[in-house]
């Protein structure tokens, strides 16, 4: 039975999923306050709002992860009980913001996860492969069902999750920030799949902080702010500015570039080489300069950052900060030499989930806030309060566990850590990933202010607009090499893309 | 930017309550302990005597001191099975070095402590440099340590012990037995180290997310090695305590002590996954375990049944704790909604 047979397209636009009066609180936070939300058959609904607005919380409720404190969710008239398996039964499939497949299991096993077909109680591998392959063929014909999920790119992992939704004959597919780690072609492919599913009558809910994407694919927009429903409108009634006003309740300024004086060389990378990863990389970044680093996913940008910061070893070449060579493979030495890194994967590489917001902010400052090994609690508190205010981190308190913050606010905590340390060189790897529109422009301004203050900045970003507006110079990487170094005047979307793909 | 700062209405009032939860959590174990104490008082005339309580606390000191060290190791997401072996090794060395080698008791004690530190160092190096899983690495040193203690002592307890141990056992500060005071001092020191020092913070970070800790500039391998060395040192100190208590270099004592210690630490709220827990509530776990042991003795539970009874009580305590925590959270949630409903005006 395919999705198309189950849901007749003629029934279009009737609400499939209705969430009524949803209220949900966590210790210290009212995450959702009496929110109504519905999803109609054959439509794409974009769920928008600033970081911490409550989007993921609402989604987790529809996925049966949390029970609402008040309110009710029904799918085709059936009340959803707070239990993920109930959500699956009534036809709601969800791809969470921090989702995951079982890395060691094959794509096919992941698609059939928990529903492995059996015969006489034994796993029927053949049937499993067949069913998985059928679902996979619709969204990702290029994938081999027996590849372990851990070896797939994040884009392909997502497609596997979508295939799982299809194989379950889900009526509603919910995706929480599905595009954050995808490259433009991968986003295109994802959106083609979405269009296809929609035309077959499936309802899709998705969250994105990129309005371009919203206008490209959504039929309706629902906006949340501070846990309250601001409104639901057809996309045809909206434009960019209207959406932003609904989300933040005010206008967002465009970032204005100012001319900055450029100082001495802060970072000097010479002939850096790591077999099969980086090849003969040389470049410099000066104080007050913002150097962009562009390239496709997998071009070696994060690997370069890892080598500079001493996370990964390299075979030959050198990294100098302020004229002094930093020893490889030692992040502590890099930090002491004056390097800061905001890594792409904050959950894995930057945050200690069990610790408080405060302790996470000061984690790389322990030497500065202690004397004779003893921490100064007052200093720590003062620094944390200052940075929380400066970045408008939305948290009930500085003592809240960082893992309970929304995705975007967790990212701000990582930024705050390095702002507090004031390194000479700050490497930012996709700093606005998962950050809302308002905060994005704040972070852009912040980067400019830091550069004005004389910090050297290496900005790795897949967002061309971000690169184009912020940077003084763009390095383009392709298969582990720098394929171009473009001064501001020559850096355009076209030149960058051409060097990224065929330099 | 000002309007994006967290809405302060009902929330600032709740701020204090977050740490309040932690407090109530340890009060939970405390409540179980008090309740158990009351029941015991009713059931046994001996229980509530000064002598019995002192006895419970004194035997708890040995587990407590070992558990302090174990807490450091579990906080960095490790586990140390070698503690009981280190304990007996330290005990036989402290007595044997005086009796067999003719060293002064002070030197013997220092060497016994060094043996503990040394085994901790070996554990730490095996785990960090050789990347042997802690369970396996310390299983090996556990077997070796016990073996060495047997070889050195000839497989029997060594007596008599130097005067200093007799004095230690008899000592009192303000009427409180010295060993109890010593344990409390060690616990207080450990708590200060964990909550107030750079090293302590590094311990939590290393256990919570080793990669993030490393990328924040923490030398995680050194932190892990140090944690194992602290565990070794604490076990060696516990070895001195047991020497004083039994008045012998106790080669055959403390069989299976490592499991009792791990159970106490976990009941005391230290997460086996690392990064979470504190000395204060951990000690309550030790106390609870000591109480159960005492109850089993006083109530004349048939010897073959005592471990079954202890196991059941441990499971019940753990379940009660989980239940209480979720009950508490539900209550908090209701309050927040009520408060928000009262204090926030509806916007658009
Ligand atoms: N498990 C939790 N415990 C405590 N607080 C939580 C928990 N989950 C979410 N919150 C809080 O609820 C609020 C809403 O969070 P949510 O994750 O829904 O935001 P979001 O709209 O998805 O934001 P983002 O765009 O940053 O992902 C936040 O203030 C967050 O701190
Ligand atoms: Mg979210």
């Amino acid at each position: 039975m395919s999705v198309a047979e189950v849901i007749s397209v003629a029934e279009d636009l009737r609400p499939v999923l209705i969430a009524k009066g949803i209220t949900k609180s966590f210790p210290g936070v009212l995450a959702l306050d009496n929110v109504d939300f519905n999803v109609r058959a054959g439509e794409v609904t974009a769920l928008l709002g600033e970081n911490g607005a409550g989007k993921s919380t609402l989604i987790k409720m529809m996925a049966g992860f949390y029970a609402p404190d008040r309110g009710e969710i029904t799918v085709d008239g059936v009340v959803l009980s707070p239990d993920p398996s109930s959500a699956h039964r009534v036809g709601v499939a969800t791809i969470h913001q921090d989702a995951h497949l079982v890395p060691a299991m094959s794509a096919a096993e992941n698609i059939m996860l928990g529903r492995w077909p059996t015969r006489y109680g034994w796993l029927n591998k053949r049937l499993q492969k067949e069913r998985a392959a059928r679902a996979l063929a619709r969204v990702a014909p290029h994938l081999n069902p027996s590849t372990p999920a851990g070896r797939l790119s994040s884009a392909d992992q997502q497609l596997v999750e979508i295939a799982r939704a299809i194989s379950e004959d889900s009526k509603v597919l919910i995706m929480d920030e599905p595009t954050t780690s995808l490259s433009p072609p991968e986003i295109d492919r994802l959106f083609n799949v979405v269009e296809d599913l929609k035309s077959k009558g499936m309802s899709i809910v998705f969250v994105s902080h990129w309005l371009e994407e919203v206008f490209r694919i959504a039929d309706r927009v629902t906006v949340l702010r501070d846990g309250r429903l601001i409104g639901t409108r057809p996309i045809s009634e909206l434009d960019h500015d209207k959406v932003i006003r609904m989300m933040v309740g005010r206008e967002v300024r465009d970032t204005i570039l100012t001319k900055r004086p450029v100082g001495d060389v802060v970072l000097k990378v010479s002939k850096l080489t790591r077999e099969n990863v980086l090849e003969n990389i040389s470049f410099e970044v000066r104080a007050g300069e913002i150097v962009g680093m562009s390239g496709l996913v997998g071009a070696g940008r994060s690997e370069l950052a890892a080598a500079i910061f001493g996370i990964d070893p390299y075979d030959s070449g050198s990294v100098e900060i302020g004229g002094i060579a930093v020893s490889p493979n030692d992040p502590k030495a890099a930090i002491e030499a004056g390097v800061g890194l905001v890594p792409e994967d904050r959950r894995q590489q930057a945050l200690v989930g069990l610790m408080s917001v405060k302790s996470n902010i000061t984690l790389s400052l322990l030497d500065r806030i202690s004397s004779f090994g003893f921490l100064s609690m007052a200093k720590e508190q003062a620094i944390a309060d200052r940075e929380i205010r400066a970045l408008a981190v939305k948290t009930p308190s500085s003592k809240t566990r960082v893992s309970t913050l929304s995705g975007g606010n967790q990212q701000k905590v990582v930024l705050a850590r390095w702002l507090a340390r004031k390194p000479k060189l700050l490497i930012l790897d996709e700093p606005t990933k998962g950050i809302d529109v308002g905060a994005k422009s704040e972070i852009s301004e912040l980067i400019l202010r830091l550069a004005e203050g004389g910090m050297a900045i290496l900005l790795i970003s897949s967002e061309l607009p971000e690169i184009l507006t912020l940077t003084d110079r763009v390095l383009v990487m392709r298969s582990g090499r720098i394929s171009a170094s473009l001064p501001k005047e020559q850096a355009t979307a076209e030149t960058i893309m051409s060097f990224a793909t065929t330099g | 930017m000002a309007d994006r700062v967290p809405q302060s209405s009902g929330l600032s009032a709740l701020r204090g309550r977050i740490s309040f939860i932690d407090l109530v959590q340890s009060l939970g174990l405390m409540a179980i302990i008090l309740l158990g104490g009351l029941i015991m008082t009713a059931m046994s005339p001996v229980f509530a005597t000064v002598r019995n309580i002192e006895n419970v606390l004194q035997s708890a000191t040995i587990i407590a001191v070992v558990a302090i060290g174990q807490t450091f190791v579990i906080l960095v997401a490790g586990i140390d099975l070698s503690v009981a072996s280190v304990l007996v090794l330290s005990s036989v060395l402290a007595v044997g070095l005086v009796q067999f080698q003719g060293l002064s008791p002070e030197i013997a004690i220092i060497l016994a402590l060094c043996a503990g530190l040394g085994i901790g160092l070996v554990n730490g190096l095996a785990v960090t440099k050789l990347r042997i899983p802690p369970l396996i690495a310390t299983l090996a040193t556990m077997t070796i340590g016990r073996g060495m203690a047997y070889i050195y002592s000839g497989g029997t307890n060594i007596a008599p012990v130097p005067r200093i141990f007799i004095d230690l056992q008899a000592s009192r500060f303000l009427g409180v037995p010295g060993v109890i005071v010593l344990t409390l001092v060690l616990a207080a020191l450990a708590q200060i180290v964990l909550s107030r020092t750079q090293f302590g913070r590094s311990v939590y970070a290393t256990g919570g997310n080793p990669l993030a800790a490393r990328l924040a500039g923490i030398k995680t391998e050194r932190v892990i090695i140090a944690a194992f060395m602290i565990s070794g040192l604490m076990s060696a100190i516990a070895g001195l305590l047991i020497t004083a208590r039994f008045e012998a270099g106790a080669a055959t004592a403390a069989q299976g002590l490592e499991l009792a210690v791990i159970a106490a630490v976990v009941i005391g709220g230290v997460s086996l996954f690392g990064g979470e827990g504190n000395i204060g509530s951990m000690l309550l776990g030790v106390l609870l375990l000591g109480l159960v042991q005492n109850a089993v003795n006083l109530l004349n539970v048939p010897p073959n049944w005592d471990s079954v009874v202890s196991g059941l009580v441990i499971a019940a305590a753990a379940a009660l704790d989980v239940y209480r925590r979720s009950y508490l959270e539900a209550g908090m949630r209701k309050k927040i909604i009520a408060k928000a409903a009262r204090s926030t005006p509806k916007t658009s």
Side-chain angles (χ1 to χ4, degrees), chain A residues 25 28 375 380 390 401, chain B residues 1 4 11 196 201 276 333:
Chain A
S25 69
L375 300 171
E380 174 173 47
R401 273 191 183 185
Chain B
M1 214 145 127
R4 309 192 62 253
L11 297 184
R196 289 296 157 100
R201 190 62 65 80
E276 196 179 20
R333 214 171 276 152

Side-chain angles (χ1 to χ4, degrees), chain A residues 25-27 29-32 49-58 60 66 97 176-177 207 209 224 394-396 400 403-410 434-436:
Chain A
S25 69
F26 296 106
V29 192
L30 187 60
L32 290 173
E50 289 182 291
N51 295 132
K55 306 177 295 289
S56 298
T57 305
L58 181 57
K60 283 180 189 150
Y66 295 149
Q97 192 167 5
D176 197 353
E177 303 198 27
V207 175
H209 289 298
L224 300 179
K394 194 179 160 197
T395 171
T400 305
S403 57
T404 69
L405 260 51
S406 78
N409 282 296
Q410 293 185 7
I435 294 231
D436 71 55

Side-chain angles (χ1 to χ4, degrees), chain A residues 308-350:
Chain A
I308 296 174
F309 195 66
I311 304 169
D312 294 338
Y314 43 85
D315 304 329
S316 63
S318 69
V319 175
E320 285 174 24
I321 301 293
I324 299 159
V326 225
S327 55
N329 206 13
D330 183 359
K332 189 174 164 66
I335 291 169
E336 274 161 6
V339 190
L341 170 71
V342 175
E344 186 181 4
D345 185 350
R346 53 190 170 249
R347 232 175 254 278
Q348 297 277 340
Q349 307 191 329

Side-chain angles (χ1 to χ4, degrees), chain A residues 99-172:
Chain A
H100 287 112
L101 300 175
V102 183
M105 287 190 180
S106 71
E109 281 170 311
N110 269 290
I111 289 173
M112 305 305 293
L113 200 66
R115 302 172 296 125
W116 298 290
T118 51
R119 179 185 286 166
Y120 315 121
W122 298 94
L123 272 187
N124 185 338
K125 287 236 167 179
R126 197 183 47 79
L127 194 58
Q128 160 178 315
K129 237 192 192 139
E130 242 173 59
R131 281 198 206 163
R134 219 180 309 139
L136 210 53
R138 287 190 46 198
V139 295
H142 61 290
L143 290 184
N144 176 352
S146 44
T147 315
R151 280 213 249 123
L152 299 174
S153 70
S154 41
D156 287 340
Q157 293 192 9
Q158 245 167 26
L159 293 176
V160 170
E161 293 198 62
I162 295 176
R164 172 148 97 210
I166 292 175
S167 76
E168 284 181 343
D169 288 330
S170 303
K171 299 169 196 162
V172 182

Side-chain angles (χ1 to χ4, degrees), chain B residues 258-275:
Chain B
E258 58 283 327
L259 295 183
V261 167
I262 293 167
V265 170
V266 172
I267 292 172
V270 181
S271 161
L272 270 178
F273 299 107

